[in-house]
Each structure stands twice: as C-alpha cells, then as structure tokens.
Amino acid sequence: MTFRDLHRAGDPLLLPNAWDYGSAAMLAAQGFPAIGTTSLGVAAVHGKPDAAGATRAETIELAESMKDLGVFVTIDIEGGFSDDPAEVGELVAGLAALGVAGVNLEDGRPDGTLRPIELHQRIIEAAMGHGVFVNARTDTAWLKTGDTLERVRAYGHADGVFVPGLTGLAEIAEVVEATDLPLNVLYQPAGPTLAELAGVGVARVSTGSLLYRAALHGALATLLAIQDKAAPAVPSYGEITAILPAPSSESA
C-alpha cells in the first residue's frame, strides 16, 4: 500500500494534522495510516505568522522528527517557502530524502492574493519527480478570489488537488467532476459529514488546524473548570492568527 493508494474517491482518507512530535506520535498510536502537518499549528508553536514563509526550518525539523513513526507523513510547506521553482524543488527533494510521502503546495499569498497560475504551475512541476505525492492546493474558496475550476484544471499535472473552504456538496461535486485528480477538502464541523463527502467522490479529508485549535480549547477548558468557569468556543483560524506576530518583510 502506497500513500497514493489511500486516496480513493468515495472512500476518502481521513487525514489528521499534527503540529509537533507529540501530537503526531499520539495520532500514529491511534492507528491512522497517514498524518499531515498544519502550518498554523507549527507557526503558533514557534511564535511565528502562518502562511508567510516564516517556518521553513521548523517545518523541516518536524518532518525529520516524524520520519520514524511508522506512518505516511505529508507536510504542509505553504507555498514552498519560495517563488523560485528550483528552490521549491530542492526543498521537496530534501523532504523526500527524509522519507516524507507527500507535500501540500498552496497558491495563496499572505496579502490575500493568489500566486499567478503560470508560476504555480512551474512550482508544482519542480516539486514533481522526487517520489513525493504533490497535493496542489488552491485558495480560491479560502480567500474568496479567483476561479476555482480554472485553477484546479491548471494544476492537473500534480498528484492531487486540495481546495480548502468548500462547504456545499454541490460545489464540491462540481470540482470532483472537473478533474481526474483525487480531491482533498477540509473538514469543517458545521459542514458536510465524512459520509456525505464520500458520497460526492471526495478522496481525502484533512482536519487542517482543527485539532490544534481544539487542543488549545481543551487546555483552556480544563484550566477554567478549576475555577468553575465555562470555556469559550473552540477558537477559529482567524482568532489564532490574530494573536500571532505579524509577518515581517523578510518572511512575507
């Protein structure tokens, strides 16, 4: 069984996302065959901004620590930590040497824009050929900009495609029909169930930052319970990013 084999339309891989070695080891011990990383969690653990290219070293370090867990590991490398295809290819090759099975490569930028399609196509191409499953992520739905189907079709030379932010089953089914690649979506507690996503042909369902945010909520709830106080709801992605340092000119 390869990592690619776990992507089955109609029988999706549920991919939990870890943020440090401890969370990854805990998930591996539960028998999940593959574990991803969450860039938000990694950034927050190290006091850095998410999706700003600031955690390249920390991401590689986490990947190296996870290599002996006995599961497939796929790493969120944001946009590749560079706009230079050659540098992204070198990064992916290095991760492949560590035994990493997959990477996520996103086209969203910290300023809310999307990387030009042609540039992201070249970056995807540079990431291919290293024996790593390249999951091409487009942030059209996440950032509410651009044409999702245009991007999905443009990234057809990748191994898989990831469109976080999709919530309606009809729009998800439309994306499934628009590509021959396995579709990855982000699980959202208020959105479709795993069974419903399977029913429209989704091949992979990631938890993204949800587990990290739930862990923070659990810690706060435990503390406040000592004072007989109720905890607030699980923090949103935006609430976590709001308390992180702003991107610097070097990392953005």
Side-chain angles (χ1 to χ4, degrees), residues 44-112:
V45 165
H46 294 281
K48 294 188 175 184
D50 182 34
T55 57
R56 185 182 190 277
E58 293 83 357
T59 297
I60 295 172
E61 182 179 7
L62 177 56
E64 186 168 13
S65 75
M66 294 169 65
K67 66 183 180 181
D68 295 324
L69 288 176
V71 298
F72 295 111
V73 172
T74 181
I75 302 295
D76 183 347
I77 57 172
E78 300 185 0
F81 302 110
S82 174
D83 275 339
D84 182 341
E87 290 184 1
V88 176
E90 182 179 352
L91 170 63
V92 175
L95 291 171
L98 294 176
V100 165
V103 295
N104 274 10
L105 263 175
E106 65 196 47
D107 59 11
R109 287 177 155 166
D111 62 0

Side-chain angles (χ1 to χ4, degrees), residues 17 19 21 28 61 89 115 128 178 195:
N17 296 83
W19 56 93
Y21 177 81
E61 182 179 7
R115 180 181 271 159
M128 302 290 290

Side-chain angles (χ1 to χ4, degrees), residues 124-150:
I124 291 169
E125 184 176 356
M128 302 290 290
H130 302 290
V132 171
F133 186 100
V134 177
N135 204 30
R137 168 175 156 172
T138 182
D139 285 343
T140 50
W142 190 254
L143 298 176
K144 296 180 171 54
T145 185
D147 185 318
T148 297
L149 296 184
E150 178 187 22

Side-chain angles (χ1 to χ4, degrees), residues 194-246:
L194 190 63
E196 289 172 331
L197 293 171
V200 295
V202 169
R204 172 165 147 187
V205 179
S206 300
T207 59
S209 66
L210 175 61
L211 302 185
Y212 173 70
R213 293 183 287 109
L216 293 185
H217 173 264
L220 183 58
T222 300
L223 176 63
L224 293 179
I226 298 172
Q227 301 176 307
D228 293 323
K229 295 179 180 179
V234 174
S236 67
Y237 175 89
E239 288 172 328
I240 299 299
T241 58
I243 63 176
L244 297 180

